[in-house]
Amino acid sequence: MLRCRNFLSKATRKKNLKAKTKARNKTSSRRKRESIPKHQHLHEDQEMEDSEEEAEGFSLKASAPSHNYEVQPLGNLYLNPGSINSRNTGLGNLQTLSDELILDILGLLDGTHLGVLAAVSKSFCVFANHEPLWRNLVLDNLNGGFLFNGSWKSTYVGPFYPSFDIACMGASNVKVRDFYSDYLFQSWLCANLDMKPEWLERDNIVRKKGISVEEFVLNFEEPNKPVLLEGCMDNWAALQKWDRNYLLKVCGDVKFAVGPVEMRLEEYFRYADQVREERPLYLFDPKFAEKIPILGSDFEVPIYFREDLFSVLGNERPDYRWIIIGPAGSGSSFHIDPNSTSAWNAVIKGSKKWILFPPDVIPPGVHPSPDGAEVACPVSIIEWFMNFYDATKNWKKRPIECLCKAGEVIFVPNGWWHLVINLEESVAITQNYVSRRNLLNVLEFLKRPNASELVSGTQDRVNLHDKFRNAMEAAFPGTTNQLVQKAEEKKAQQKKLSFWDSVTDSHAGAFKFSF
């Protein structure tokens, strides 16, 4: 659960402070203030704002709207002993249920019944108008054929009830007071928080420019370490061409994968320009180059990643390259790339914040299942930053972090956990690949007993291992066996003990004898 106690009161104080400052400045322009210099007033105003910033530690985006129904975090209730939580009075006997459970139940209803329920009480009005409920209805029922209309509820109601006056649905028609709920507050908070400067300061990744392929393999790919590469996409036509106008022109009415639906690029940009939510939809399409061949010709694989052994499968290879487009705040929560592959990600427009943990370090707040088939983590990326980021500062194995800007490429080694958030509207290309350095890891992954659950990007999950190994043998005879032999020799060498290792008890610091 998001720790948002007492946040709304601070954010409200800040907004009120700015409003009062603005009003005072307007009033002062009509008064004679000869006795106090103007710059002194401005200095006092700035000090007040600075003190508020320091007190709260977080700041809302400049364009952040107030919560539709003035929902406040539960901590504010404890600061107002005389207040009664109107959430409970409006729910009746259902007040004992958690907010999460109530929303789960409401998620079983259709739009008509949600609308009826919203008229029962102010509490039900707040719950039934929770935007994620309407988002799910749109994505489940409109199959991508929608034009976002300012809110998910308006987007849903418009096509189904064309004669309905959507303007009447505004929250301003319903006044709700003293409604306290951490769970309902968190979506608004995470959608409207700015990234704190200290979340962006750490940049400890190794950066390289103009290195040879041999140096990349020796220092990064073989030891499985991330690196940010500069200058290796300078010749891409995409860097100069891929603005909105160009993409809209060449893509036309072609639809791209956006979460669970498909949308035309024009529809997606309309959504991205209007939406303000904690988990914005992400355009993430694996077939973009087949759909729009000219896009595939506007870039080329950087020289470091051109050995791609999955290519021996031809059309049967798993999904491996994607175009990625998203607004500020969109991104990917912690995950490991599919099928034990390594990856590269090239930013064409915008910028991204990356956080990476090595395979043996599970990020805080992330809970993978024992078989690796599922991962439980915070609902949104901002929520992870608020609750867990600071804790990593004191870890012995700190994460690798960086800002990846347009024209830069990051290498993500296999098995590394990583989180990515767009700091502005961004366009990128990413590709997963298999080289000789990673071939055995991939084959082992594809052969796991639960491969049918773990393998992704292909319909034939169970047989992918055999198909890949056979195709490798046909294309590169003996290569797999040679790599297996080298791996076994290396493993044996690591286990081999020196004389002193064999006679010294490393735990007790004394000699040991065995006969």
Side-chain angles (χ1 to χ4, degrees):
M1 173 63 70
L2 182 66
R3 302 186 184 105
C4 53
R5 299 282 197 270
N6 199 31
F7 186 90
L8 184 61
S9 61
K10 296 174 181 177
T12 303
R13 284 203 306 273
K14 182 179 178 183
K15 283 195 169 185
N16 291 341
L17 171 69
K18 291 183 176 179
K20 290 177 182 178
T21 301
K22 185 176 181 181
R24 184 167 61 248
N25 288 341
K26 286 183 177 179
T27 303
S28 65
S29 66
R30 298 192 299 267
R31 295 177 180 173
K32 293 183 179 179
R33 304 178 65 187
E34 292 85 353
S35 58
I36 303 178
K38 183 178 179 180
H39 72 272
Q40 183 172 335
H41 287 277
L42 295 176
H43 180 67
E44 291 172 355
D45 294 341
Q46 186 62 48
E47 284 185 340
M48 293 174 66
E49 291 188 26
D50 290 345
S51 64
E52 285 290 330
E53 285 282 349
E54 293 174 2
E56 65 187 60
F58 297 97
S59 61
L60 297 175
K61 296 175 181 176
S63 58
S66 298
H67 190 286
N68 283 347
Y69 297 98
E70 298 296 336
V71 173
Q72 302 179 50
L74 195 57
N76 287 18
L77 175 62
Y78 305 138
L79 298 177
N80 297 284
S83 296
I84 297 176
N85 193 350
S86 62
R87 171 220 183 260
N88 298 336
T89 56
L91 289 178
N93 291 335
L94 295 181
Q95 66 181 271
T96 57
L97 302 181
S98 67
D99 294 346
E100 298 94 319
L101 182 54
I102 291 174
L103 290 172
D104 284 344
I105 295 172
L106 266 57
L108 302 175
L109 304 180
D110 60 23
T112 300
H113 290 108
L114 275 180
V116 171
L117 188 64
V120 172
S121 70
K122 289 184 176 180
S123 288
F124 276 115
C125 179
V126 174
F127 277 101
N129 281 289
H130 190 50
E131 274 286 273
L133 292 174
W134 295 94
R135 166 173 155 149
N136 291 340
L137 286 174
V138 170
L139 299 181
D140 291 343
N141 294 285
L142 297 183
N143 299 318
F146 65 87
L147 290 177
F148 191 76
N149 193 22
S151 72
W152 286 108
K153 184 176 182 181
S154 297
T155 303
Y156 179 83
V157 171
F160 284 103
Y161 307 96
S163 61
F164 188 84
D165 185 4
I166 295 178
C168 296
M169 298 192 308
S172 59
N173 297 319
V174 180
K175 303 296 182 183
V176 180
R177 296 186 58 186
D178 298 328
F179 193 108
Y180 301 94
S181 166
D182 279 348
Y183 192 85
L184 293 180
F185 181 74
Q186 74 173 355
S187 293
W188 173 86
L189 178 62
C190 291
N192 290 285
L193 272 185
D194 268 331
M195 290 286 286
K196 293 174 66 175
E198 51 263 45
W199 294 347
L200 305 175
E201 287 174 353
R202 240 187 289 176
D203 196 314
N204 58 355
I205 197 169
V206 176
R207 293 174 176 265
K208 292 292 182 179
K209 184 175 183 178
I211 63 173
S212 65
V213 174
E214 292 74 20
E215 185 179 351
F216 167 75
V217 170
L218 179 64
N219 294 327
F220 301 104
E221 194 177 30
E222 283 189 345
N224 214 42
K225 294 180 179 179
V227 61
L228 192 143
L229 300 164
E230 301 172 346
C232 60
M233 53 185 288
D234 290 348
N235 62 338
W236 285 19
L239 277 177
Q240 284 71 43
K241 294 166 64 176
W242 283 21
D243 57 21
R244 273 199 180 192
N245 291 335
Y246 175 78
L247 292 174
L248 288 170
K249 179 181 177 181
V250 300
C251 294
D253 291 331
V254 174
K255 291 190 173 183
F256 295 91
V258 179
V261 299
E262 291 196 337
M263 301 175 69
R264 292 186 297 114
L265 203 53
E266 182 180 6
E267 296 169 341
Y268 180 73
F269 282 141
R270 174 186 171 120
Y271 158 82
D273 286 341
Q274 298 182 60
V275 75
R276 183 64 65 81
E277 56 185 341
E278 62 174 325
R279 294 180 297 119
L281 292 174
Y282 213 8
L283 190 154
F284 209 91
D285 194 288
K287 304 296 182 183
F288 73 99
E290 291 81 1
K291 295 175 180 178
I292 311 291
I294 193 173
L295 293 183
S297 65
D298 282 343
F299 73 95
E300 62 181 9
V301 176
I303 191 172
Y304 309 105
F305 315 111
R306 291 182 182 170
E307 183 182 56
D308 187 0
L309 300 179
F310 255 153
S311 62
V312 299
L313 288 170
N315 294 331
E316 291 190 276
R317 73 174 299 168
D319 293 338
Y320 69 104
R321 63 180 177 183
W322 294 261
I323 186 173
I324 310 173
I325 303 177
S330 61
S332 300
S333 55
F334 275 110
H335 65 283
I336 295 174
D337 278 341
N339 305 328
S340 197
T341 55
S342 297
W344 56 268
N345 185 295
V347 179
I348 297 171
K349 300 292 181 185
S351 57
K352 300 171 180 283
K353 168 72 177 183
W354 284 76
I355 298 182
L356 305 97
F357 285 88
D360 61 329
V361 179
I362 298 175
V366 176
H367 306 283
S369 60
D371 62 359
E374 297 180 357
V375 177
C377 57
V379 171
S380 68
I381 298 172
I382 290 292
E383 183 179 348
W384 184 88
F385 273 98
M386 291 184 66
N387 288 337
F388 300 104
Y389 178 79
D390 286 345
T392 65
K393 293 180 179 179
N394 300 320
W395 282 30
K396 184 177 181 180
K397 291 187 177 181
R398 296 181 181 180
I400 299 295
E401 301 183 39
C402 70
L403 294 183
C404 193
K405 301 177 181 178
E408 298 177 336
V409 179
I410 185 173
F411 166 62
V412 183
N414 77 89
W416 279 66
W417 292 93
H418 51 283
L419 169 152
V420 191
I421 182 170
N422 291 317
L423 304 179
E424 55 190 304
E425 182 175 283
S426 300
V427 180
I429 296 291
T430 190
Q431 183 165 324
N432 292 74
Y433 75 101
V434 183
S435 69
R436 282 174 169 81
R437 272 67 62 186
N438 191 32
L439 176 61
L440 298 185
N441 291 326
V442 173
L443 287 171
E444 181 182 357
F445 181 89
L446 298 180
K447 202 175 181 179
R448 289 185 182 182
N450 58 340
S452 60
E453 298 178 9
L454 295 178
V455 175
S456 64
T458 180
Q459 294 182 345
D460 191 2
R461 300 180 178 185
V462 176
N463 298 313
L464 185 60
H465 171 271
D466 292 342
K467 287 182 178 180
F468 184 34
R469 179 142 192 170
N470 292 337
M472 274 295 303
E473 188 60 29
F476 305 101
T479 297
T480 304
N481 290 335
Q482 290 174 10
L483 292 173
V484 170
Q485 184 177 350
K486 287 182 179 179
E488 290 175 348
E489 290 173 355
K490 184 177 180 180
K491 190 175 181 180
Q493 185 67 27
Q494 291 173 342
K495 287 184 176 180
K496 196 173 183 180
L497 298 176
S498 68
F499 169 77
W500 290 108
D501 288 331
S502 65
V503 298
T504 303
D505 187 335
S506 59
H507 297 289
F511 284 100
K512 63 179 181 181
F513 299 91
S514 57
F515 298 93

